[in-house]
């Protein structure tokens, strides 16, 4: 997605949009702009002051300025200092605020993107966008803007001072300076070209020598010494000529540039001298002021020339951010509300093809799960079990057919209403850096009372270990629950599901074996959780499939066998084979 920004044509809309983000802070921005204008004016004023400093103090020996001029300098720099502070503060505040806004919007956006977006962009790239790209944008929107405005205004102010001091001399400068720059540039290019020629020549020379010396026996036996020497001599001679040429160019260049500088100065002096002596239109102070303005302009011009790269980087980063911000969020156009479903789930000729995948992950799958029943899904890894259950909370959408809850197609339901009907206990239990209680009453369950949380924890067999934690329910879990064992985390997830008390339950049984005690506690907790809900379980345990109301056997995205455990065993097909190989039971 890192398409480079080519030319300014595509950069402008992005910069405008960025300025749009900054426009909320317009009072600060206006203040900063005022500060920039004052800074530029102060630079002009200082060079302008060179005239009275030289003329009044040293030429006219005017006693009145003895104190006023030094005071004026201090005053000017005081004003300038305040202006600089206001500018820097205003720009920093604006820039950082824009970054904060972008970060917030981006994070908010990320949490609403469909699951498929997470397949396309790895999480580290998302985090880098949040941290790094926003940072680049800050620099473009504050630093670059500051340079552009302040330095352009400074150049304008200084050029005005020059013009004010002498029109003719300024015009002479305007003609001479680009001319010198052009010649210097030409000489420099020629020098670099010849230098490259030398490097290439040295490489060829070395290769020739190496070849001849390594093959010295062949050279001798074929009597090729003279031939090889000749070849080498030619290359060495060429090297000499190039070296002389580059040295001559360099020497010429530096004297030419110096001479040009001198000539330019001479012309300036002549023009200025004519103005002073013949026309009496220029004083010493005016000349000094003009030269000072010219010199002061150089750093600003350099910064203006260099600001492009900061701007480009910022624009490229902003472009990446805007592409993300413009991504469509999860479809949520369904208008039907659902307080609490009974829990009848139907899959009707459902197919799922992931984006950019040639074959469907699930195809032509139909089944019905009645409220209060357990549907176990088995099959080899990659057979489509997870894909199937991910359709229920609409993490992914069916690309064919339809899934219905209580007869309502999922698409027609409000997303929040749909997801309220489902509790999920997956293999990978996500815990957040918060208290145990907050982890059980997570998200929309935030309002739960401590009694309810305790009840859920008890049912999930989590109370035993929670009470042994240093601060019980108030113990902070720390990043990703390093404090807790796999079995304990599972039980917290089950407690969450108890608290949510949803009519539909999705279980993804752990494939890795837990210790027997944990396994027993978890089984026991699940047995209490399952009744009265429509349960889908990606099954790895024998007891789960044995007690399921129906077992779905998946293979390469298709439902190949469907029935109860003993029926399927009797069939002696894929299920019977999987059964022999796969299912484990705690000892
Ligand atoms: P199981 O849960 O049975 O291991 P999955 O439902 O995870 O199977 O995978 C079914 C098929 O879909 C596999 O071929 C897998 O590579 C593919 N698949 C799973 N998730 C994605 C995804 N997010 N993007 C693209 N393909 C996927």
């Amino acid at each position: 997605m890192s398409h480079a920004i080519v030319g300014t044509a595509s950069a402008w809309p992005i910069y405008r949009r960025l300025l749009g983000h900054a426009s909320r802070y317009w009072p600060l921005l206006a203040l900063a702009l005022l500060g920039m204008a004052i800074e530029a004016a102060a630079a002009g004023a200082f060079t302008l002051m060179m005239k009275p400093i030289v003329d009044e103090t040293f030429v006219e020996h005017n006693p009145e300025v003895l104190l006023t001029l030094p005071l004026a300098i201090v005053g000017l720099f005081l004003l300038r200092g305040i202006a600089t502070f206001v500018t820097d503060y205003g720009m920093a505040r604006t820039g950082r605020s824009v970054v904060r806004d972008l970060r917030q919007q981006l994070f908010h956006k990320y949490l609403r993107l469909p699951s498929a977006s997470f397949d396309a962009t790895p999480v580290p790239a998302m985090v880098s966008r949040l941290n790094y790209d926003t940072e680049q944008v800050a620099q473009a929107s504050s630093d670059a803007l500051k340079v552009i405005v302040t330095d352009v205004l400074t150049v304008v102010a200084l050029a005005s001072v020059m013009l004010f001091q002498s029109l003719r001399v300024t015009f002479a400068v305007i003609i001479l300076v680009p001319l010198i720059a052009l010649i210097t540039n030409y000489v420099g290019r020629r020098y670099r070209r010849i230098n490259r020629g030398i490097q290439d020549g040295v490489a060829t020379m070395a290769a020739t020598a190496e070849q001849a010396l390594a093959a010295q026996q062949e050279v001798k036996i074929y009597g090729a010494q003279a031939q090889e020497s000749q070849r080498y001599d030619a290359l060495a001679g060429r090297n000499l000529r190039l070296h002389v040429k580059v040295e001559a160019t360099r020497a010429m260049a530096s004297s030419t540039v110096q001479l040009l500088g001198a000539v330019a100065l001479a012309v300036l002096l002549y023009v200025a001298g004519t103005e002073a002596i013949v026309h009496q239109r220029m004083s010493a102070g005016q000349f000094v002021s003009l030269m000072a303005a010219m010199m002061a302009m150089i750093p600003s011009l350099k910064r203006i020339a260099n600001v492009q790269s900061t701007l480009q980087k910022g624009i490229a980063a902003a472009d990446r951010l805007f592409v993300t911000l413009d991504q469509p969020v999860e479809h949520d156009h369904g208008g039907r509300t659902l307080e609490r479903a009974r829990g009848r789930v139907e899959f009707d000729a459902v197919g799922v093809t992931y984006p950019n995948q040639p074959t469907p992950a699930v195809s032509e799958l139909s089944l019905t799960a009645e409220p209060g029943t357990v549907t176990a899904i088995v099959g080899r890894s990659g057979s489509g079990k997870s894909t199937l259950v991910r359709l229920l909370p609409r993490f992914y959408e069916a690309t064919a057919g339809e899934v219905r809850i209580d007869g309502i197609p999922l698409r027609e339901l409000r997303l929040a209403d749909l997801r309220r009907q489902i509790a999920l206990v997956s293999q990978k239990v996500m815990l957040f850096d918060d208290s145990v209680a907050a982890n059980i009453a997570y998200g929309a369950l935030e309002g739960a009372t401590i009694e309810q949380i305790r009840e859920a924890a008890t049912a999930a067999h989590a109370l035993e270990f929670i009470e042994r934690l240093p601060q019980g329910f108030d113990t902070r879990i720390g990043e990703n629950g390093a404090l807790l064992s796999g079995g304990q985390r599972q039980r917290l997830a089950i407690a969450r599901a108890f608290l949510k008390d949803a009519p539909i339950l999705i279980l993804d049984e752990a494939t890795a074996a837990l210790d027997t005690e944990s396994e027993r506690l978890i089984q026991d907790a699940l047995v209490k959780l399952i009744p009265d809900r429509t349960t889908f379980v990606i099954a790895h345990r024998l007891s789960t499939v044995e007690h399921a109301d129906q077992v779905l056997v998946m293979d390469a995205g298709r439902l190949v066998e469907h029935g109860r455990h003993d029926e399927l065993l009797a069939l002696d097909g894929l299920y019977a084979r999987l059964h022999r190989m796969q299912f484990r039971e705690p000892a």
Side-chain angles (χ1 to χ4, degrees):
M1 219 177 288
S2 63
H3 38 238
I5 299 302
V6 227
T8 39
S10 51
W12 253 115
I14 298 169
Y15 204 68
R16 257 211 315 274
R17 187 164 166 189
L18 211 51
L19 284 179
H21 280 267
S23 66
R24 284 180 50 196
Y25 304 98
W26 69 267
L28 266 173
L29 209 56
L31 210 63
L33 287 174
L34 181 70
M36 292 180 201
I38 293 175
E39 262 186 83
F46 184 61
T47 53
L48 199 61
M49 270 174 70
M50 287 298 154
K51 176 179 154 27
I53 288 172
V54 172
D55 287 348
E56 299 299 319
T57 315
F58 298 105
V59 181
E60 306 284 338
H61 300 296
N62 181 354
E64 280 170 24
V65 302
L66 195 57
L67 219 60
T68 49
L69 278 178
L71 282 178
I73 291 180
V74 175
L76 185 64
F77 275 79
L78 187 67
L79 182 68
R80 201 187 118 123
I82 294 170
T84 308
F85 176 81
V86 168
T87 301
D88 288 358
Y89 178 83
M91 288 315 290
R93 187 71 193 260
T94 310
R96 302 315 311 184
S97 302
V98 169
V99 169
R100 181 204 50 196
D101 295 351
L102 284 172
R103 280 190 175 143
Q104 289 173 346
Q105 284 179 21
L106 200 61
F107 187 72
H108 189 85
K109 183 80 185 193
Y110 276 152
L111 287 181
R112 276 161 186 74
L113 286 179
S115 297
S117 308
F118 286 78
D119 299 334
T121 316
V123 168
M126 292 183 159
V127 175
S128 137
R129 204 142 296 168
L130 277 171
N131 287 335
Y132 179 74
D133 284 348
T134 47
E135 208 55 51
Q136 300 260 300
V137 168
Q139 284 191 2
S141 62
S142 55
D143 298 6
L145 189 64
K146 198 161 82 187
V147 166
I148 291 172
V149 176
T150 311
D151 285 314
V152 169
L153 287 181
T154 304
V155 168
V156 169
L158 292 172
S160 313
V161 170
M162 289 172 71
L163 285 169
F164 174 73
Q165 300 298 18
S166 168
L167 267 171
R168 280 173 186 244
V169 179
T170 305
F171 282 133
V173 169
I174 290 173
I175 293 165
L176 284 172
V177 169
L179 206 64
I180 295 179
L182 226 64
I183 296 174
T184 317
N185 193 14
Y186 170 76
V187 173
R189 268 216 308 275
R190 184 178 151 84
Y191 174 71
R192 279 194 295 277
R193 202 179 52 234
I194 301 173
N195 228 354
R196 257 203 310 280
I198 292 186
Q199 273 156 22
D200 295 347
V202 167
T204 325
M205 200 163 68
T208 310
E210 201 177 303
Q211 203 181 359
L213 297 179
Q216 50 98 8
Q217 292 186 348
E218 280 80 358
V219 172
K220 286 173 185 159
I221 212 129
Y222 289 105
Q225 283 105 331
Q227 213 177 326
E228 287 299 331
S229 291
Q230 218 173 24
R231 201 192 335 225
Y232 190 78
D233 290 353
L235 289 173
R238 180 159 173 268
N239 182 262
L240 164 74
R241 281 194 303 282
L242 279 176
H243 263 290
V244 173
K245 196 161 150 191
V246 87
E247 206 36 44
T249 312
R250 198 193 52 73
M252 275 262 292
S254 77
S255 2
T256 312
V257 170
Q258 279 177 20
L259 183 67
L260 278 173
V263 170
L265 194 63
V267 173
L268 272 190
L269 189 60
Y270 177 76
V271 177
T274 319
E275 289 292 285
I277 298 167
V278 182
H279 303 290
Q280 322 269 298
R281 276 196 298 229
M282 186 163 221
S283 69
Q286 279 174 311
F287 187 66
V288 171
S289 163
L290 195 147
M291 296 303 274
M294 191 174 84
M295 297 308 229
M297 214 185 265
I298 293 170
S300 285
L301 288 173
K302 276 192 182 150
R303 274 198 295 271
I304 293 173
N306 291 335
V307 76
Q308 187 73 359
S309 80
T310 316
L311 211 55
Q312 291 279 323
K313 267 191 260 170
I315 298 266
D319 184 42
R320 286 194 292 272
L321 291 184
F322 290 149
V323 165
T324 308
L325 284 177
D326 291 342
Q327 272 179 32
V329 295
E330 287 183 301
H331 264 284
D332 191 8
H333 303 314
R336 296 179 70 164
T337 54
L338 182 60
E339 198 43 49
R340 185 179 174 91
R342 284 182 54 243
R344 185 184 152 94
V345 177
E346 294 160 279
F347 285 77
D348 187 357
V350 166
V352 181
T353 306
Y354 286 108
N356 307 322
Q357 295 290 316
T359 52
V362 166
S363 46
E364 281 298 315
L365 189 138
S366 298
L367 73 102
T368 304
E370 296 296 341
T373 62
V374 174
T375 304
I377 309 166
V378 301
R380 283 185 277 256
S381 161
S383 56
K385 306 182 294 292
S386 322
T387 303
L388 184 65
V389 296
R390 279 188 205 138
L391 293 178
L392 280 177
R394 271 185 54 203
F395 290 150
Y396 291 83
E397 307 249 357
T399 43
E402 195 170 70
V403 185
R404 292 185 288 268
I405 288 184
D406 290 2
I408 309 168
L410 296 191
R411 223 171 277 123
E412 292 177 15
L413 279 171
R414 288 178 49 219
L415 213 48
D417 279 6
L418 166 64
R419 290 181 179 166
R420 203 174 47 237
Q421 313 302 327
I422 301 170
L424 179 72
V425 180
S426 61
Q427 287 193 37
K428 226 174 47 193
V429 181
M430 280 312 298
L431 296 175
F432 300 85
D433 186 10
D434 206 334
S435 69
V436 171
N439 264 283
I440 294 176
Y442 182 64
L445 305 173
E446 211 171 31
T449 62
I450 185 67
E451 284 76 32
Q452 290 170 317
I453 296 174
R454 185 175 258 282
E455 208 175 300
T458 314
H461 290 306
L463 195 66
E464 297 96 293
F465 78 84
I466 293 172
E467 285 190 326
R468 267 182 278 121
L469 293 172
Q471 281 108 36
F473 278 97
D474 295 327
T475 312
R476 282 192 82 85
I477 288 193
E479 218 161 288
N480 239 326
L483 206 71
L484 303 173
S485 75
Q488 291 171 333
R489 299 160 61 106
Q490 284 273 332
R491 282 180 274 160
L492 280 189
I494 295 171
R496 254 184 212 162
F498 265 112
L499 190 60
K500 185 162 183 181
D501 189 28
I504 298 170
L505 175 65
I506 299 174
L507 295 176
D508 189 355
E509 282 184 338
T511 39
L514 297 165
D515 60 278
T516 339
E517 176 62 5
S518 292
E519 188 95 49
R520 194 185 61 74
L521 288 172
I522 289 169
Q523 277 302 317
D524 197 57
L526 287 175
V527 165
K528 282 188 285 174
L529 180 62
I530 285 172
D532 308 326
R533 302 176 211 277
T534 314
T535 305
F536 287 86
V537 47
I538 297 179
H540 297 288
R541 286 193 195 88
L542 187 58
S543 59
T544 311
V545 282
E546 275 175 350
H547 297 124
D549 297 286
Q550 57 179 345
V551 180
L552 313 178
V553 186
M554 305 273 302
D555 192 39
R558 295 190 173 270
L559 180 57
V560 290
E561 290 169 21
H562 181 188
R564 293 186 58 95
H565 167 71
D566 23 2
E567 295 167 2
L568 294 176
L569 271 189
L571 213 62
D572 197 24
L574 179 60
Y575 179 78
R577 240 180 306 143
L578 285 173
H579 176 259
R580 281 193 294 276
M581 285 169 3
Q582 261 185 10
F583 296 115
R584 62 190 171 71
E585 209 43 30

